[in-house]
């Protein structure tokens, strides 16, 4: 019974859009696109219309894709799950942000207000706010429950490439192609700090004391938020720094670049601890290092864990 219910769940998720838009076509369009080995197709095989002589080719069994969400009118530039995994946010070139039920794929909210493409979206750690950045140079904060606009923050003069919340949800950092990284107070929407350096990627340390950015000038900059001082400028990458991430204990920093390497830096000394060559693959983003102490024990294990979490493109 459990196997059948799981199979039926996969069928429902896969064909939900058909059911919503044309429910009478469900047997024709749904069953014929279900995998031949799916239990739901075998059970209701007799319901497939006899006038369909040539069935489409589909995989024999269910693949890894659970569901495809169709609603945006243009490219989707950014997607993020809420901290509890229940909501999926997507930002698009159609100038909208959409909030989806991550389990069912139901569209909950359409957030409108940007005047150009939405390039980046991110949830606050408490899940109450969603920050969006656009190539209109504007950052907006939204209430995730009601979809209402809470703040509009303007200070950049270029595309907003990335936005990230501090761990206590009090601060927001934004990076832009205008050559600056800005730090904002979430409650007031006021600009707190301005840092020089193209912000392709930004991240807070887990304790909220440090802010790091990766830049098109191939450097990584680390600031002390309390004093507004630039603590370190890390050099070594041969191309743009695409992504940065602190280890869970804030002792190490990982950076990836268009030079097709991942570098591990020791923050206390500013030295490059490891350089990982990813065999010609350009690393765009990756997960946080779960256990940096593994660096001192077995780099091979670290490499497997780290590279298993990256999203790559050629």
């Amino acid at each position: 019974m459990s196997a059948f219910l799981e199979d039926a769940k996969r069928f429902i998720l896969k064909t939900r859009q058909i059911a919503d838009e044309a429910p009478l076509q469900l047997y024709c369009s749904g069953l014929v696109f279900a995998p031949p080995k799916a239990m739901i197709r075998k059970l209701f095989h007799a319901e497939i219309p006899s006038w369909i002589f040539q069935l489409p080719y589909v995989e024999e069994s269910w693949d890894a894709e659970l569901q495809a969400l169709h609603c945006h009118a243009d490219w989707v530039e950014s997607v993020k799950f809420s901290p509890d995994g229940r909501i999926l946010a997507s930002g698009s070139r159609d100038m909208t942000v959409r909030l989806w039920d991550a389990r069912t794929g139901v569209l909950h909210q359409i957030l409108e207000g940007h005047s150009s493409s939405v390039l980046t979206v991110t949830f606050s750690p408490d899940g109450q706010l969603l920050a969006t950045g656009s190539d209109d140079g504007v950052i907006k904060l939204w209430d995730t429950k009601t979809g209402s606009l809470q703040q509009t923050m303007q200070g950049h003069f270029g595309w907003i490439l990335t936005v990230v919340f501090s761990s206590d949800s009090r601060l927001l950092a934004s990076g832009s192609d205008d050559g600056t990284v800005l730090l904002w107070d979430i409650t007031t929407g006021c600009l707190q700090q301005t840092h020089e350096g193209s912000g392709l990627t930004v991240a807070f340390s887990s304790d909220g004391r440090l802010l790091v950015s990766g830049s098109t000038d191939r450097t990584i900059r680390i600031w002390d938020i309390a004093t507004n001082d630039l603590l370190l400028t890390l050099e070594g990458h041969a191309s743009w720094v695409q992504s940065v991430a602190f280890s869970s204990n804030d002792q190490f920093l990982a950076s990836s670049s268009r030079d097709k390497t991942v570098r591990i830096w020791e923050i206390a000394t500013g030295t490059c601890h490891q350089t990982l060559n990813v065999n010609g693959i350009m690393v765009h983003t990756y997960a946080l290092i779960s256990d940096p102490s593994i660096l001192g024990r077995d780099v091979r294990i670290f490499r497997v864990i780290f590279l298993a979490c990256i999203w790559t493109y050629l």
Side-chain angles (χ1 to χ4, degrees):
M1 178 61 73
S2 61
F4 173 76
L5 292 176
E6 179 63 27
D7 192 87
K9 176 185 175 182
R10 294 297 302 270
F11 178 78
I12 292 171
L13 289 175
K14 201 74 170 180
T15 60
R16 184 181 183 93
Q17 185 181 15
I18 299 173
D20 287 342
E21 297 178 3
L24 297 180
Q25 299 297 319
L26 187 58
Y27 284 128
C28 293
S29 301
L31 285 176
V32 298
F33 286 102
K37 292 185 178 180
M39 298 175 67
I40 201 83
R41 177 161 170 172
K42 291 179 179 180
L43 182 63
F44 293 98
H45 184 76
E47 303 292 343
I48 297 177
S50 58
W51 50 264
I52 301 180
F53 295 104
Q54 184 66 44
L55 297 179
Y57 172 79
V58 293
E59 296 293 334
E60 287 292 306
S61 303
W62 294 114
D63 58 20
E65 181 186 300
L66 292 175
Q67 193 173 13
L69 307 178
H70 301 276
C71 198
H72 284 292
D74 208 331
W75 292 6
V76 176
E77 293 283 353
S78 180
V79 291
K80 280 289 176 62
F81 282 102
S82 61
D84 61 9
R86 295 182 178 182
I87 303 174
L88 178 69
S90 58
S92 169
R93 287 191 178 187
D94 65 10
M95 301 184 291
T96 70
V97 178
R98 296 171 192 259
L99 302 183
W100 313 79
D101 187 302
R103 299 181 65 184
T104 66
V106 173
L107 178 61
H108 283 331
Q109 301 275 357
I110 299 177
L111 310 180
E112 298 177 294
H114 284 292
S115 61
S116 193
S117 302
V118 179
L119 302 180
T120 179
V121 298
T122 191
F123 286 92
S124 60
D126 58 17
Q128 296 182 13
L129 294 173
L130 178 75
T132 61
S134 168
D135 62 15
D136 60 11
V138 175
I139 302 163
K140 292 182 180 291
L141 293 181
W142 313 82
D143 185 296
T144 55
K145 291 184 179 179
T146 65
S148 60
L149 180 62
Q150 302 297 297
Q151 297 279 2
T152 296
M153 297 179 289
Q154 296 177 278
H156 284 293
F157 297 96
W159 294 6
I160 310 298
L161 302 176
T162 183
V163 287
V164 62
F165 285 93
S166 60
S167 58
D168 59 7
S169 299
R170 293 183 178 182
L171 298 173
L172 181 79
S174 58
S176 170
D177 68 348
D178 65 3
T180 64
V181 173
L182 303 185
L183 194 64
W184 308 84
D185 184 287
I186 295 302
T187 303
T188 64
C190 294
L191 179 62
Q192 299 295 297
Q193 295 178 11
T194 300
H195 301 292
E196 297 300 320
S198 175
L200 282 180
T201 176
V202 294
F204 285 97
S205 59
S206 59
D207 61 12
R209 297 174 58 188
L210 302 177
L211 177 67
V212 61
S213 76
S215 176
T216 56
D217 66 6
R218 302 174 294 180
T219 66
I220 301 159
R221 294 177 174 87
I222 302 177
W223 293 277
D224 185 305
I225 294 176
T227 63
N228 199 17
D229 292 332
L230 177 63
L231 299 180
L232 289 171
T233 299
L234 307 178
E235 299 179 337
H237 281 296
S239 188
W240 296 4
V241 179
Q242 295 284 111
S243 188
V244 290
F246 284 95
S247 63
S248 56
N249 62 6
D250 296 330
Q251 293 182 8
F252 291 89
L253 179 76
S255 62
S256 70
S257 167
R258 288 192 177 187
D259 65 10
K260 302 176 183 178
T261 66
V262 175
R263 292 175 182 261
I264 313 299
W265 309 83
E266 188 173 6
I267 295 176
T269 62
T271 57
C272 181
H273 195 88
Q274 294 284 344
T275 299
L276 309 179
N277 190 313
V278 292
N279 299 322
I281 297 175
M282 189 179 295
V283 183
H284 186 269
T285 188
Y286 46 82
L288 287 171
I289 308 166
S290 59
D291 184 8
S293 63
I294 203 168
L295 286 168
R297 301 200 306 271
D298 195 335
V299 174
R300 290 174 300 171
I301 297 176
F302 173 80
R303 185 189 296 268
V304 171
I305 292 173
F306 189 81
L307 296 183
C309 298
I310 66 173
W311 174 43
T312 64
Y313 61 91
L314 296 178

